Amino acid sequence: VPRSWCSIVFRACVKSGAVAVGVDGYGTALTAASVPRFPCDYPDTTAGRREWSRRGEARQARERTLPHSQRPNFVVVRTPERCRFQPAWELLWPEHAISTHGGVAFCVVRGRRYIEAF
């Protein structure tokens, strides 16, 4: 689409019922529609564990850049050590923890049951 037509095409799409969403909005829409996203919704796979580990490391690195006065106090909010930067799935849904893989328990969060918690 030529640059001069972008606005026209965008307006036509919106008037036809299309919705513009960002990455977070896209993920929320997929979850609401019970469509799993790979690898985030598959913590029982190697790729899923790697993705959540990467996100946890990124959150931890981002927190280290903040001054101490702006960091959350995990002791006050009673957040266990192991789920400060990434989800501890076995704590969220203990009835769905299915086994341990390499000593790490996990659960599978797919479908409508996942969104009901929110």
Side-chain angles (χ1 to χ4, degrees), residues 68-87:
H68 286 285
S69 62
Q70 293 181 0
R71 295 181 189 177
N73 188 336
F74 292 113
V75 175
V76 171
V77 295
R78 295 180 173 180
T79 305
E81 179 79 31
R82 66 178 174 221
C83 59
R84 291 183 177 175
F85 300 104
Q86 60 183 343

Side-chain angles (χ1 to χ4, degrees), residues 17 38 94:
F38 187 80

Side-chain angles (χ1 to χ4, degrees), residues 32-50:
S34 297
V35 177
R37 291 178 297 153
F38 187 80
C40 302
D41 290 339
Y42 294 87
D44 53 325
T45 64
T46 303
R49 286 190 297 276
R50 194 175 323 137

Side-chain angles (χ1 to χ4, degrees), residues 88-98 106-107:
W89 301 112
E90 71 279 1
L91 295 178
L92 294 173
W93 289 281
E95 68 274 8
H96 295 294
I98 51 179
F106 61 86
C107 71

